[in-house]
Amino acid sequence: MRPGSRQGAIAVAHVRLMILTLLFTAAICVIVGRLALLALIAEPPATGSVNAMLVPLRGDLVDRHGAPLARTIDAWSIGVRPNKVIGDKAELARLLAATLPGKSEAEYRALLNRDVSFTYLKRRAVPELVAAVHALGEPGIAFAREPQRLYPQATLAAHTLGYVDFDGHGVAGMEKALDAKLTDPAQRGQPVALSIDLRAQAALESELGQAMTVFQARGAGGLIMDVATGELVAVASLPTFNPNNVKRADPEHFRNNVTQSVYELGSTFKPLTMAMAIESGIVPSIAKRYDATEPLQVGGFRIRDDHAQKRWLNVPEALIHSSNIVTARIADEMGQARMEDMFRKLGFDAKPDVELGGLAAPLWPKYWARTTVMTTAYGHGIAVTPLHLASAYAALVNGGMWRPATLRRIEPGKAPEGRRVFSEATSARMRQLLRLIVTHGTGSKADAPGYRVGGKTGTAEVAGAGGYRRNQNVSTFAAAFPMDAPRYVVLVMLDSPVGNAQTFGFTTAGWTAAPVVNRVVMRTGAMLGVVPDESRDVDVADVTPLLWRAEAKTGPISPGAAE
């Protein structure tokens, strides 16, 4: 090749290379320009949209220690587009009947032959079921993720938690009360802590369930409340339901006996009446004696003691023997205005103060006759929820401050101020008297060694059409512990228990409800931070000399003797 020709070829190659470089550069500029234009005209993604995809559609509920109570998990829906099915519909119907229980082969065949673009075969399906249907290989079957609310503790605390509807909105319990907070995108990543202690809840439900079975009771209810804050550490109502499967639940089981049912709670009201009598000066000294030698006649109405002592009784003796006569005499001296004022201060004239919905209103006397004043003093003629009574007992023992109940965990030092119902001195006196009812009275079966339990039995006949049913009662024990420095109120109620050989046929609270309190305290006391100590107790040295000498020596009377 000649030198001139070679140089010419090299020059041509250089020109071509430069042209290609320019074309490539121009293409790159066009692409970058288009991307820049798209960036300018496109809507920017919402702040945190990537993170939002990772956050559940509904926040979790946890107990006071962070244990899961309700959470949202991914589930699957299985559907079919009948007009997209390419296989034999009759054969597909047979396979679906064998894979997806719930419908017959004929039902699936009818569903596949419907003139619709889409229909669900199964909502909220588990992954294993999705895999089995997917293995059928039919392109007309569609799968999609959809969230599911899961209650990992099953029936535990069901009435407190409530449940959600199919669209994921709360329709009962704390699910409903906290619906806005749990679905708020700004807060969904943070679980909401309830006041419930899962361990105490399990113990309470276990003991209530056992007692309900043993005594063939129609229903039961119970709670554990922090006396300083109003926090409900455990709340149980039986029968219960499984919030994971509300469709199969008995509608009657949705009722929360603690907040949605009212009862005449009988003699558990007597300590409240005595406290107000002491507070108001109607009882100037607990040593003052009242005539209980015979029934109290008021017009055509006669007030009796179940197991009459037929002697004059002072205040400690009246509570130990649960005397209706003495309580009625003291209430008569107090009068309507003072009794009403006490009940209103304790919240007995309104629905219970707690976050749950569907709360029951008390049955308040329409007319306060003289006998009404007397009978409401020992828990007849007025009906409240067990939660009302628990809040009242908390005020009775915590120094006299009533606070609303709550199912939200309260940070230390942030308890509501509350309102004063009793003075510190009256509260201290009532702690002595409640302790004596357990050590010397009808509450002896509630005593838990080392926990210094105090409380009061209450047995009231069930009201029915045409009057009271003498063969049915509501048995309640309202207690607090430890009585030298109260931390918790424990309340147990059994609706219509049946006596057995173990109770010698008795259905009174001393035989039925009090032992449940004993077992609940023994199982939960230490886990709630109360260390049992048998060397400590309430100082009752100034009270025991007031007891009849035989009582002071012999110790507790029979639990069935009086309620």
Side-chain angles (χ1 to χ4, degrees):
M1 180 181 290
R2 288 179 300 176
S5 301
R6 185 178 180 187
Q7 288 177 351
I10 292 172
V12 170
H14 275 294
V15 170
R16 288 176 177 175
L17 181 60
M18 290 179 65
I19 292 172
L20 286 173
T21 302
L22 290 172
L23 288 173
F24 182 75
T25 303
I28 293 295
C29 290
V30 170
I31 293 170
V32 171
R34 292 296 300 271
L35 290 174
L37 181 62
L38 288 172
L40 288 173
I41 64 175
E43 259 188 47
T47 303
S49 60
V50 175
N51 289 335
M53 294 174 65
L54 303 176
V55 177
L57 295 179
R58 188 175 183 85
D60 290 353
L61 289 174
V62 298
D63 86 336
R64 65 187 303 108
H65 302 297
L69 297 173
R71 64 194 327 172
T72 298
I73 61 171
D74 275 341
W76 292 84
S77 64
I78 305 173
V80 65
R81 299 182 178 91
N83 56 352
K84 300 280 186 173
V85 172
I86 62 174
D88 185 339
K89 290 186 177 181
E91 175 62 12
L92 180 58
R94 185 187 68 79
L95 293 173
L96 287 173
T99 310
L100 277 177
K103 288 186 176 65
S104 66
E105 181 179 339
E107 288 174 315
Y108 277 119
R109 192 182 304 117
L111 187 148
L112 293 170
N113 287 313
R114 287 173 59 189
D115 186 19
V116 294
S117 60
F118 178 84
T119 186
Y120 282 107
L121 295 175
K122 178 72 175 178
R123 303 289 300 269
R124 308 280 169 81
V126 296
E128 292 81 6
L129 192 59
V130 172
V133 177
H134 186 268
L136 299 181
E138 171 54 57
I141 295 178
F143 306 90
R145 288 182 180 273
E146 67 179 19
Q148 179 181 2
R149 196 63 164 170
L150 175 69
Y151 301 92
Q153 312 301 335
T155 61
L156 208 62
H159 291 92
T160 295
L161 297 175
Y163 53 93
V164 299
D165 61 20
F166 207 85
D167 295 321
H169 293 292
V171 295
M174 293 302 283
E175 290 278 32
K176 182 177 181 180
L178 297 171
D179 194 57
K181 184 176 180 64
L182 293 172
T183 56
D184 184 350
Q187 302 184 55
R188 282 203 308 260
Q190 296 297 321
V192 178
L194 301 186
S195 59
I196 296 296
D197 184 312
L198 198 56
R199 304 164 303 168
Q201 180 74 31
L204 177 62
E205 289 196 25
S206 169
E207 295 299 341
L208 270 181
Q210 181 182 350
M212 188 172 165
T213 300
V214 168
F215 296 114
Q216 304 173 51
R218 184 170 61 182
L223 60 87
I224 303 173
M225 173 187 283
D226 187 315
V227 303
T229 64
E231 290 172 285
L232 290 163
V233 179
V235 186
S237 176
L238 298 177
T240 188
F241 64 96
N242 190 339
N244 291 304
N245 193 2
V246 295
K247 287 185 177 180
R248 294 188 180 181
D250 184 334
E252 289 296 317
H253 296 177
F254 290 132
R255 175 175 291 278
N256 186 340
N257 294 328
V258 175
T259 64
Q260 295 181 316
S261 297
V262 295
Y263 307 89
E264 291 187 359
L265 294 172
S267 296
T268 56
F269 272 44
K270 289 173 182 173
L272 303 174
T273 301
M274 295 300 187
M276 184 52 65
I278 294 170
E279 184 80 10
S280 62
I282 294 298
V283 173
S285 168
I286 61 171
K288 182 180 177 180
R289 295 188 175 274
Y290 297 85
D291 185 3
T293 56
E294 57 186 9
L296 178 60
Q297 191 76 36
V298 185
F301 191 77
R302 178 172 287 191
I303 296 173
R304 298 179 175 86
D305 285 343
D306 288 339
H307 295 272
Q309 299 303 297
K310 297 183 179 180
R311 60 186 178 87
W312 288 64
L313 302 174
N314 57 34
V315 170
E317 292 170 336
L319 286 174
I320 285 172
H321 292 287
S322 199
S323 173
N324 296 335
I325 296 171
V326 173
T327 307
R329 287 189 184 279
I330 291 174
D332 194 31
E333 288 187 42
M334 287 175 60
Q336 175 187 346
R338 286 193 181 93
M339 289 294 292
E340 275 199 73
D341 181 62
M342 176 187 71
F343 288 147
R344 292 186 191 280
K345 283 182 177 178
L346 293 172
F348 287 2
D349 61 333
K351 293 179 180 180
D353 206 328
V354 74
E355 294 87 351
L356 299 177
L359 303 171
L363 296 182
W364 187 261
K366 294 181 180 179
Y367 172 68
W368 286 79
R370 183 186 176 196
T371 52
T372 306
V373 174
M374 292 180 172
T375 59
T376 55
Y378 53 85
H380 290 266
I382 182 172
V384 298
T385 67
L387 183 56
H388 279 107
L389 185 65
S391 295
Y393 265 65
L396 194 64
V397 302
N398 72 5
M401 298 298 295
W402 183 94
R403 292 183 177 87
T406 182
L407 282 160
R408 296 289 301 274
R409 184 167 65 84
I410 296 177
E411 295 295 332
K414 295 185 178 180
E417 185 177 344
R419 60 175 178 262
R420 183 158 293 283
V421 181
F422 307 111
S423 67
E424 290 272 6
T426 298
S427 179
R429 179 64 79 189
M430 295 312 302
R431 292 196 290 270
Q432 291 178 310
L433 296 176
L434 288 170
R435 179 65 175 143
L436 282 176
I437 293 170
V438 171
T439 58
H440 288 72
T442 57
S444 60
K445 289 188 177 295
D447 203 11
Y451 287 106
R452 293 92 73 195
V453 177
K456 183 70 183 78
T457 51
T459 305
E461 292 173 354
V462 175
Y468 290 94
R469 300 171 183 170
R470 297 192 63 83
N471 61 341
Q472 280 186 286
N473 62 48
V474 174
S475 299
T476 308
F477 195 86
F481 77 99
M483 291 307 294
D484 53 323
R487 292 280 305 280
Y488 299 99
V489 161
V490 180
L491 185 145
V492 166
M493 181 215 68
L494 296 172
D495 185 355
S496 307
V498 177
N500 56 31
Q502 180 183 345
T503 67
F504 304 98
F506 286 115
T507 60
T508 50
W511 284 101
T512 57
V516 183
V517 169
N518 165 277
R519 293 192 293 271
V520 169
V521 171
M522 292 292 287
R523 288 182 62 174
T524 65
M527 72 175 63
L528 295 176
V530 181
V531 179
D533 185 348
E534 296 194 48
S535 67
R536 297 176 56 182
D537 212 327
V538 184
D539 183 3
V540 293
D542 62 330
V543 182
T544 49
L546 301 177
L547 302 181
W548 190 42
R549 284 174 296 178
E551 293 162 357
K553 289 180 180 179
T554 59
I557 62 175
S558 166
E563 294 288 317

